[in-house]
Amino acid sequence: MKPSIYSLTYPQLETWCIDHGFKAFHAKNLFRWLYQKRVDSFNLMSDLSLSLRDALASDFEMKGLIEVEKQVSSDGTRKYLLQLEDLSMVETVLMVQPYGYSVCISSQIGCNMGCAFCASGLIKKSRDVRADEMVRQLLHVQKDLDQDALRVSHMVVMGIGEPFDNYDHVMNTIRILNHDLGLAIGSRHMTVSTCGVPAGIRKFALEPFQVNLAISLHAPNDELRSSIMPINRAFPLKELMSALEFYFKHSNRKVTYEYILLKDVNDSVAHAKELAALIRGQHVYVNLIPYNKVEEQPFEQVTPQQAQRFFETLRKAGITATLRMEHGADIDAACGQLRSKKLKGCQI
Ligand code: SAH
């Protein structure tokens, strides 16, 4: 199979042009056709020479992803189940935020992290999602929004998979989506979310771009965190915090902690105090997330009063926090839910 044209970063396209006897500046027009005019075929790139179009078509595929299903929530959230060339499926979500349109992409086919509350881990990882497949998830949503002349302004790698278990493809995706001549999604408008892989955090700290980092924390001590997030057994909080120290030192950027409130598991005032003590003094804020119910799992949502109590306890302890709204509650919005339902339906 030929590689996809969407796998190439801008400098890689320039190199390809030079290696094939074309001028490097053709990459400029090509990127515009791919990401700004968003045409579906090399033939439509009318200001590129026929020989360049032929050379591109003989070296690269230019297919989009196939939409298997699309659910639209009453709050505007759209969830897409998209099929890749090898028939694997990924979930991609569009969220309507007060600040713009944000797309959540999946970085792996299934996930091996095994978090107890997450639907993604119900199906183990079969492979990484390649950069072109992540880019095409976003392009798919952008093309859907094109019908209403709307633009994707934000991107989060928070779908199925652990991005730091697929580091290089995720970084190339960021480079491609960020490029000025492409979709030009600002680096400060992009977020990578990890369950806490220290080596990935350290590498990410040294990247030249200003992409945000989110850490799925979900518990304030090792015992509890290890019981719901197996990654913590390999890399306990001490190691996570030491990687974050490195990140703060080198990137100078704020980190977001994600904390799902799980009823009677991690939601008490004592937990909030323990959390505040753990992260006091760090350049962070905490995003309190309502739990999206997953049928197969024993967890329940907390009441709004309990969530408020947790939030207030953090605030009084001097920790900045937000109580996040639930998106797409009336569709299969929890990570991996739509895919796992579809796969079960198909008896795969
Ligand atoms: N592996 C990465 C990114 C994917 S998960 C990570 O762990 O961060 C993206 C976020 O959704 C994580 O914070 C994850 O813990 C959270 N999440 C998973 N299942 C959820 C559920 N059922 N309800 C609410 N949030 C969930």
Side-chain angles (χ1 to χ4, degrees):
M1 211 173 73
K2 287 184 274 189
S4 165
I5 189 73
Y6 299 108
S7 65
L8 271 62
T9 60
Y10 191 82
Q12 286 172 335
L13 262 183
E14 283 185 321
T15 305
W16 181 91
C17 286
I18 294 163
D19 289 351
H20 289 75
F22 301 98
K23 296 273 190 291
F25 71 79
H26 289 302
K28 204 169 178 171
N29 286 349
L30 183 57
F31 234 58
R32 284 208 188 103
W33 282 112
L34 292 173
Y35 298 110
Q36 294 184 356
K37 299 181 187 155
R38 300 189 270 279
V39 295
D40 293 322
S41 140
F42 292 116
N43 275 331
L44 298 171
M45 301 181 173
S46 51
D47 61 3
L48 302 188
S49 68
L50 267 180
S51 59
L52 175 53
R53 281 185 255 167
D54 283 348
L56 286 165
S58 76
D59 274 15
F60 300 109
E61 286 289 353
M62 209 189 135
K63 290 193 187 114
L65 303 181
I66 296 167
E67 187 173 295
V68 177
E69 195 170 326
K70 175 176 152 187
Q71 296 181 340
V72 181
S73 158
S74 53
D75 66 11
T77 305
R78 301 181 198 181
K79 185 146 199 169
Y80 306 81
L81 188 64
L82 303 174
Q83 192 176 64
L84 313 177
E85 275 79 18
D86 66 353
L87 307 184
S88 305
M89 289 192 281
V90 290
E91 281 182 15
T92 308
V93 183
L94 170 74
M95 291 167 292
V96 184
Q97 303 281 15
Y99 47 76
Y101 290 88
S102 179
V103 172
C104 174
I105 63 174
S106 293
S107 59
Q108 294 182 315
I109 312 288
C111 184
N112 281 344
M113 297 300 134
C115 299
F117 43 80
C118 181
S120 303
L122 293 173
I123 300 152
K124 289 280 157 243
K125 176 183 107 170
S126 55
R127 68 171 175 89
D128 290 330
V129 176
R130 297 188 312 266
D132 66 276
E133 294 166 330
M134 287 185 262
V135 168
R136 287 186 288 160
Q137 289 177 52
L138 197 124
L139 258 185
H140 186 90
V141 180
Q142 180 57 66
K143 285 182 181 176
D144 197 21
L145 286 183
D146 281 344
Q147 296 173 22
D148 302 311
L150 299 170
R151 174 177 176 266
V152 176
S153 56
H154 290 68
M155 186 276 279
V156 294
V157 190
M158 282 193 190
I160 299 174
E162 169 48 47
F164 285 168
D165 192 28
N166 184 17
Y167 191 88
D168 293 340
H169 281 288
V170 170
M171 294 309 128
N172 269 355
T173 304
I174 289 169
R175 291 182 190 107
I176 294 168
L177 296 178
N178 177 239
H179 201 278
D180 280 350
L181 295 169
L183 287 152
I185 299 179
S187 58
R188 285 161 191 268
H189 287 186
M190 298 201 250
T191 302
V192 175
S193 176
T194 176
C195 63
V197 181
I201 295 170
R202 286 170 199 271
K203 241 164 129 181
F204 196 63
L206 301 176
E207 296 289 352
F209 40 63
Q210 301 283 300
V211 173
N212 303 302
L213 176 65
I215 305 288
S216 297
L217 192 61
H218 307 323
N221 62 59
D222 277 325
E223 195 188 342
L224 182 53
R225 194 163 191 267
S226 291
S227 74
I228 55 176
M229 297 181 71
I231 183 84
N232 198 72
R233 293 174 213 154
F235 306 111
L237 285 170
K238 193 159 166 274
E239 287 190 42
L240 175 58
M241 292 304 158
S242 140
L244 285 171
E245 283 297 313
F246 183 87
Y247 181 85
F248 293 128
K249 191 163 147 227
H250 289 275
S251 79
N252 218 4
R253 297 202 38 81
K254 207 168 186 164
V255 164
T256 305
Y257 283 123
E258 293 158 279
Y259 195 100
I260 307 173
L261 289 166
L262 303 165
K263 188 171 187 292
D264 299 333
V265 176
N266 64 358
D267 62 334
S268 71
V269 167
H271 288 128
K273 286 185 177 160
E274 201 178 2
L275 175 61
L278 177 70
I279 66 176
R280 184 164 295 128
Q282 292 181 343
H283 193 38
V284 291
Y285 80 92
V286 177
N287 205 354
L288 298 172
I289 309 172
Y291 173 59
N292 253 314
K293 179 74 188 151
V294 178
E295 269 168 41
E296 291 83 349
Q297 281 143 4
F299 302 102
E300 298 296 335
Q301 267 193 6
V302 300
T303 60
Q305 292 81 351
Q306 187 62 23
Q308 194 61 34
R309 228 183 340 256
F310 198 95
F311 173 78
E312 281 301 324
T313 309
L314 287 182
R315 200 183 55 80
K316 280 191 200 131
I319 304 291
T320 317
T322 49
L323 205 51
R324 199 170 90 181
M325 298 286 297
E326 203 170 4
H327 289 280
D330 53 345
I331 57 176
D332 295 316
C335 307
Q337 247 177 7
L338 178 57
R339 178 170 175 271
S340 78
K341 275 191 188 171
K342 191 82 185 174
L343 291 180
K344 269 188 287 180
C346 299
Q347 304 290 313
I348 291 174

